[in-house]
Amino acid sequence: MKTHKIVCIFFYLTIISCNIYSFSGASISEEIKSFSLNNIDSQISNSPSSLSQITKDNLQDLILNQTNLNLLEESIADLNFSAIITKYEIKPIAINSNETAAKNRLTINLKVDFINTKDENLNYKTTFSRYRDFESATNFAEIELDLINEITKELAEDTFNKAFVNW
């Protein structure tokens, strides 16, 4: 029984140390050691000033927590992420009989440019879009930061999955 536990532990350590598998589902080549994340700019004039930083922090934290990669400057990193927020929009989605909005939707789009310096076949340029619905009667200023955090975490997951899980 003791031998069985030792074999299991050895097998587990071998798999993890060789970067064959990670519990996040990320598949990262052994030669990839670092990543960079440029400042995330916003092309939107009506977005909160904190939106770019929140988006960057969520993506950076996700990569640091789910991989063994080091954060470096763009010119020397193996993987390079750059992104632009292209949409920050609030629209009515459910109209009442008296022609007022019952619900609104906050949508954020993130255009991501990912460069893998070790394997250009894994490079991508794509736009991810996520949204949250909220009651029109709600004071938007009170919930805006929570909605932004929820949406940008999902955008970070989309970016991460496309880069590392290859979906």
Side-chain angles (χ1 to χ4, degrees):
M1 185 68 159
K2 187 176 182 180
T3 306
H4 177 69
K5 287 181 182 179
I6 292 172
V7 170
C8 287
I9 290 170
F10 177 75
F11 180 71
Y12 168 78
L13 293 174
T14 301
I15 287 176
I16 298 301
S17 67
C18 293
N19 288 335
I20 295 171
Y21 179 80
S22 77
F23 290 109
S24 67
S27 175
I28 303 171
S29 169
E30 284 183 29
E31 63 186 317
I32 303 293
K33 305 287 185 208
S34 61
F35 77 99
S36 72
L37 178 56
N38 292 339
N39 287 332
I40 295 177
D41 295 321
S42 177
Q43 292 181 333
I44 311 305
S45 60
N46 69 335
S47 66
S49 59
S50 61
L51 179 60
S52 295
Q53 190 62 47
I54 292 169
T55 305
K56 180 180 180 178
D57 290 346
N58 282 333
L59 180 55
Q60 183 174 300
D61 291 348
L62 182 63
I63 295 169
L64 288 171
N65 290 331
Q66 298 294 323
T67 70
N68 291 326
L69 300 178
N70 296 312
L71 179 60
L72 299 177
E73 293 178 31
E74 178 183 9
S75 60
I76 56 175
D78 298 323
L79 306 176
N80 299 296
F81 293 87
S82 59
I84 299 171
I85 298 166
T86 59
K87 185 180 205 178
Y88 182 88
E89 178 180 70
I90 302 166
K91 285 180 113 175
I93 58 165
I95 307 298
N96 288 334
S97 59
N98 62 357
E99 297 186 23
T100 59
K103 284 194 165 207
N104 289 324
R105 173 171 291 167
L106 172 61
T107 303
I108 301 174
N109 287 2
L110 183 67
K111 183 178 178 183
V112 178
D113 187 2
F114 171 73
I115 298 171
N116 182 326
T117 62
K118 304 294 184 186
D119 185 353
E120 67 183 35
N121 293 323
L122 298 176
N123 295 353
Y124 72 81
K125 290 182 182 185
T126 193
T127 300
F128 299 105
S129 182
R130 291 293 180 154
Y131 65 88
R132 281 290 182 280
D133 298 338
F134 60 95
E135 298 293 326
S136 295
T138 307
N139 182 348
F140 182 69
E142 291 177 4
I143 63 169
E144 184 176 23
L145 190 55
D146 291 336
L147 295 175
I148 288 172
N149 277 318
E150 291 172 14
I151 294 169
T152 58
K153 283 181 182 177
E154 288 181 355
L155 291 169
E157 289 172 8
D158 291 343
T159 304
F160 179 90
N161 287 338
K162 182 124 176 100
F164 298 111
V165 184
N166 302 320
W167 56 266

